[in-house]
Amino acid sequence: MGFLSDFKAFAMKGNVVDMAVGVIIGGAFGKIVTSVVSDIIMPIVGLCVGGVNTSDLKVVLKEAVMEGEEVVQEAVTWNYGAFVQNVIDFLIIALSVFLMVKAINKMTDMTKKKEEEAPAAPEPEPEPSAEEKLLTEIRDLLKNQK
């Protein structure tokens, strides 16, 4: 029973839950970036390099072996177009994460500055001790006798 309670305590820690949310959102964000790169950016790049689909760019290292119309052995290719597309995906994601972290740090710094700049409430004067109160009363009584 100790193992299950330890696992539950681990799984319910804030860091694990936060990390799980980050992984889920990151996966969805990765799909969006992949779509932006493959559907928007790479067609423009392909148009600039002569109307080629960049994801199909490759160097054939060994031709396919054919027997009539049937492929006996597939061609060996170096698919650098897909690699370039993945590098662009990575760079966009890295830039987005960098900008997000920078924005969060800036907001955190602004919050800290506001806390530092805000004047602290003056501390109330400490309550006089019973001895001080008694001495004050004696002093006031002596003043009134004169």
Side-chain angles (χ1 to χ4, degrees):
M1 197 64 174
F3 176 78
L4 289 177
S5 62
D6 289 346
F7 180 74
K8 181 180 177 185
F10 167 77
M12 292 301 152
K13 282 185 182 177
N15 295 348
V16 174
V17 174
D18 292 344
M19 186 175 63
V21 169
V23 167
I24 293 167
I25 291 174
F29 182 69
K31 289 180 183 180
I32 292 170
V33 170
T34 299
S35 176
V36 166
V37 171
S38 63
D39 300 332
I40 296 172
I41 295 173
M42 294 313 281
I44 294 170
V45 171
L47 187 64
C48 292
V49 293
V52 180
N53 183 357
T54 53
S55 62
D56 292 336
L57 293 175
K58 59 186 169 191
V59 174
V60 178
L61 301 173
K62 182 179 177 189
E63 294 290 334
V65 176
M66 307 282 287
E67 279 187 15
E69 294 292 320
E70 187 179 332
V71 177
V72 176
Q73 187 176 6
E74 295 286 326
V76 179
T77 60
W78 183 47
N79 301 321
Y80 66 90
F83 175 74
V84 168
Q85 191 166 338
N86 288 328
V87 168
I88 292 173
D89 282 356
F90 170 77
L91 292 175
I92 290 173
I93 290 172
L95 177 66
S96 300
V97 169
F98 170 75
L99 293 174
M100 185 175 63
V101 168
K102 190 169 182 169
I104 289 171
N105 287 342
K106 189 172 186 175
M107 288 190 307
T108 304
D109 291 344
M110 288 173 43
T111 304
K112 286 180 182 177
K113 285 181 183 177
K114 284 183 182 179
E115 289 174 359
E116 290 172 357
E117 291 174 0
E123 293 185 22
E125 299 252 349
E127 185 74 25
S129 67
E131 188 176 86
E132 289 175 337
K133 287 180 185 179
L134 181 61
L135 288 172
T136 304
E137 287 178 16
I138 292 172
R139 180 195 66 203
D140 292 343
L141 287 172
L142 287 173
K143 272 187 190 177
N144 291 337
Q145 281 184 354
K146 292 183 185 182

